[in-house]
Amino acid sequence: MFKVFSQSDVGLVRKSNEDACQCGVLSESAAWAVVCDGMGGANGGNIASNIAVKKISETILAGYREGMDSAAVEQLIASAIATANEAVHSMAGNDISLTGMGTTVVTAIICDSIIHVAHAGDSRAYLISGGEMHRLTTDHSMVQEMVEKGDLTEQEARNHPQKNIITRALGVEASIRIDYSEIPAPKGCSLLICTDGLTNYAEESQILSLAKEFSGRELTEKLVALAKSAGGGDNITIVVLEDQAI
């Protein structure tokens, strides 16, 4: 049986929250979530992330059926993200004040003991199971490309002045390229999805340490507090999907 928890906080520096998220339970053996971190203009980031979350949520809730095979789930997620991309891109094209707006996206469905996850940008998904945490996404960012080329270490990337420049986002172009993967979901596991307002201010070891000690609502609150204690310079959004199978 799944339980889902979410928290979004403006942080300590920003005046508005440009993150957005939605999550829910689809059945006893299925749950879903979407997390977006918007960007662009005075209002653009907030608008982009909220439109994307709304469109993706609507598509998943209208299209999910018990017993869907993996190909059908992948198609549902791809369709949801494409619909959201079209909506954000169209609105940006029709309002000069919103030109260039976009948003990161992580969309996940867990069903039949499989995690289906798609993303674009630098928001992340982690699998927590058996006292370990594994990152399921690779940032689409300039510094990540530099790390992969060997030009930067992971530690140097954390403090790089261009760490917020992402190379893929929803809504910026007429079409979007996403990374999609399927991962087995061990019994009793948790899926943590978050924006970079957490990961830029907390080490993965710190996140895992809290996940070992806390769960559910308390875990989301502790993670937000951790990011704030390290400066809280960005909006912080966290979603946790917990498989509470004994």
Side-chain angles (χ1 to χ4, degrees):
M1 181 174 177
F2 279 95
K3 289 205 170 178
V4 300
F5 306 89
S6 66
Q7 186 159 346
S8 190
D9 193 285
V10 72
L12 300 176
V13 175
R14 300 288 179 89
K15 288 186 169 61
S16 63
N17 192 347
E18 297 192 341
D19 290 357
C21 67
Q22 190 63 261
C23 55
V25 174
L26 295 164
S27 71
E28 279 204 2
S29 60
W32 67 280
V34 55
V35 169
C36 291
D37 178 357
M39 61 190 193
N43 302 310
N46 176 53
I47 292 171
S49 61
N50 277 280
I51 290 174
V53 165
K54 180 174 183 288
K55 292 294 184 183
I56 291 168
S57 302
E58 288 174 351
T59 303
I60 289 174
L61 292 173
Y64 181 80
R65 299 288 181 270
E66 283 270 15
M68 293 175 83
D69 63 20
S70 287
V73 176
E74 179 179 1
Q75 180 55 43
L76 177 61
I77 292 173
S79 174
I81 293 175
T83 300
N85 188 80
E86 185 179 345
V88 173
H89 187 256
S90 175
M91 179 171 283
N94 291 326
D95 185 338
I96 195 166
S97 71
L98 301 177
T99 299
M101 75 173 176
T103 179
T104 70
V105 62
V106 180
T107 301
I109 295 176
I110 307 179
C111 58
D112 297 325
S113 300
I114 297 175
I115 299 168
H116 305 259
V117 61
H119 84 290
D122 61 359
S123 296
R124 296 180 180 176
Y126 292 92
L127 171 65
I128 302 170
S129 178
E132 297 182 349
M133 185 169 81
H134 302 281
R135 195 193 306 181
L136 304 182
T137 56
T138 301
D139 293 350
H140 300 134
S141 67
M142 187 178 293
V143 296
Q144 180 63 36
E145 290 180 357
M146 294 167 77
V147 169
E148 289 170 2
K149 289 177 184 172
D151 296 336
L152 286 179
T153 65
E154 288 281 359
Q155 194 57 42
E156 288 169 337
R158 285 183 61 80
N159 302 306
H160 196 279
Q162 294 176 310
K163 67 182 179 182
N164 292 324
I165 299 177
I166 60 175
T167 54
R168 282 195 229 172
L170 184 153
V172 177
E173 305 288 345
S175 62
I176 182 172
R177 185 162 59 97
I178 57 171
D179 285 356
Y180 171 85
S181 56
E182 295 177 11
I183 306 96
K187 275 209 178 302
C189 72
S190 294
L191 182 66
L192 168 69
I193 304 175
C194 61
T195 58
D196 65 347
L198 175 64
T199 51
N200 281 343
Y201 293 88
E203 300 283 352
E204 291 182 356
S205 59
Q206 295 176 296
I207 296 171
L208 177 58
S209 180
L210 286 175
K212 287 179 177 178
E213 189 174 353
F214 303 100
S215 62
R217 174 72 54 204
E218 198 170 6
L219 175 59
T220 66
E221 290 170 352
K222 295 289 185 182
L223 290 172
V224 167
L226 175 63
K228 285 183 169 182
S229 72
D234 200 353
N235 309 142
I236 310 149
T237 297
I238 297 155
V239 173
V240 176
L241 309 181
E242 288 183 356
D243 176 12
Q244 300 194 333
I246 304 296

